[in-house]
Amino acid sequence: TQLLEQSPQFLSIQEGENLTVYCNSSSVFSSLQWYRQEPGEGPVLLVTVVTGGEVKKLKRLTFQFGDARKDSSLHITAAQTGDTGLYLCAGEKETSGSRLTFGEGTQLTVNP
Amino acid sequence: NAGVTQTPKFRILKIGQSMTLQCTQDMNHNYMYWYRQDPGMGLKLIYYSVGAGITDKGEVPNGYNVSRSTTEDFPLRLELAAPSQTSVYFCASRGGRSYNEQFFGPGTRLTVL
């Protein structure tokens, strides 16, 4: 059983379109992070959300943490080819002892 | 700062061989982690360490060993390589003040034939 479920698993869109990626769980997390990974490289942190209902913006990317701190979403406005990559959500539970649990990722391809 | 560095970048092993994946960080981070990433499976935690001399098992520790003699280095040892260990291995570190924001190395792609 995957603790963090990401959807969709794959997404292929045209440049300029908007998209939303979801990260859902039945567990409560003290913090949740989003990473982006490009081929042949390690994941790079985009954002951390820690408060239920929190919304953070990073240029064209908007991240939201659910009110109950069980889910999160990543919305990209006017996608660009440079947004192509694997998007991973990762959560830390208060009882996890400094360990993160990762979702399986969403592979995003933005076509020119 | 170089951040987190891993060597080698690629390696092919025969079944039953052993090897050590090296990981070094220059950020003076106490926490370090080893993950494996299989296609479509996200990242699975193998072992982690909260400081020099302290290590603990993650989700998938079988077939691996680690040591942490210094703050900087966290090598991962495969003793008897098996095809199931074919994967991409990532090392990560975390500073003490952040909300577990981890910094990853570039990975080691390992194939066991």
Side-chain angles (χ1 to χ4, degrees):
Chain A
T1 302
Q2 186 67 22
L3 191 60
L4 276 170
E5 301 277 353
Q6 281 189 244
S7 62
Q9 190 175 359
F10 299 96
L11 189 56
S12 180
I13 61 171
Q14 295 300 122
E15 201 168 23
E17 292 183 354
N18 302 332
L19 66 113
T20 302
V21 175
Y22 299 93
C23 177
N24 295 305
S25 177
S26 57
S27 299
V28 176
F29 291 97
S30 56
S31 67
L32 196 138
Q33 298 164 10
W34 286 91
Y35 291 81
R36 180 167 67 204
Q37 183 179 17
E38 299 191 13
E41 299 181 6
V44 176
L45 180 70
L46 295 173
V47 77
T48 300
V49 286
V50 299
T51 305
E54 182 177 5
V55 176
K56 280 192 173 180
K57 292 192 175 184
L58 186 66
K59 297 184 180 178
R60 294 174 294 100
L61 279 60
T62 302
F63 304 86
Q64 185 163 8
F65 202 11
D67 291 340
R69 292 185 290 136
K70 294 182 178 181
D71 55 83
S72 180
S73 63
L74 158 60
H75 182 78
I76 300 179
T77 303
Q80 300 176 356
T81 56
D83 295 327
T84 293
L86 179 67
Y87 290 80
L88 295 159
C89 66
E92 181 176 24
K93 299 172 70 175
E94 289 184 357
T95 57
S96 68
S98 76
R99 293 174 293 180
L100 284 178
T101 298
F102 281 83
E104 294 179 349
T106 294
Q107 181 62 54
L108 171 65
T109 302
V110 182
N111 303 297
Chain B
N1 288 348
V4 179
T5 57
Q6 292 183 240
T7 57
K9 192 153 182 70
F10 302 95
R11 184 72 185 268
I12 298 174
L13 284 182
K14 294 182 179 179
I15 294 172
Q17 287 185 322
S18 61
M19 76 164 294
T20 299
L21 282 67
Q22 301 292 344
C23 175
T24 300
Q25 54 93 7
D26 63 359
M27 297 173 282
N28 201 33
H29 286 170
N30 286 324
Y31 298 83
M32 295 187 74
Y33 306 83
W34 274 106
Y35 296 91
R36 59 178 288 171
Q37 185 176 37
D38 301 319
M41 296 299 289
L43 292 162
K44 300 292 185 186
L45 182 64
I46 304 171
Y47 271 95
Y48 67 106
S49 169
V50 301
I54 306 169
T55 63
D56 209 346
K57 296 178 180 179
E59 298 174 76
V60 290
N62 291 344
Y64 308 94
N65 277 300
V66 293
S67 59
R68 185 92 183 273
S69 56
T70 67
T71 299
E72 295 78 19
D73 300 306
F74 190 38
L76 177 71
R77 178 83 177 164
L78 282 71
E79 289 294 349
L80 291 170
S84 61
Q85 293 177 305
T86 293
S87 189
V88 182
Y89 291 85
F90 289 99
C91 179
S93 73
R94 167 203 169 191
R97 293 185 179 183
S98 65
Y99 284 102
N100 205 349
E101 297 169 358
Q102 298 188 9
F103 297 85
F104 285 82
T108 294
R109 183 175 294 275
L110 176 67
T111 302
V112 182
L113 300 174

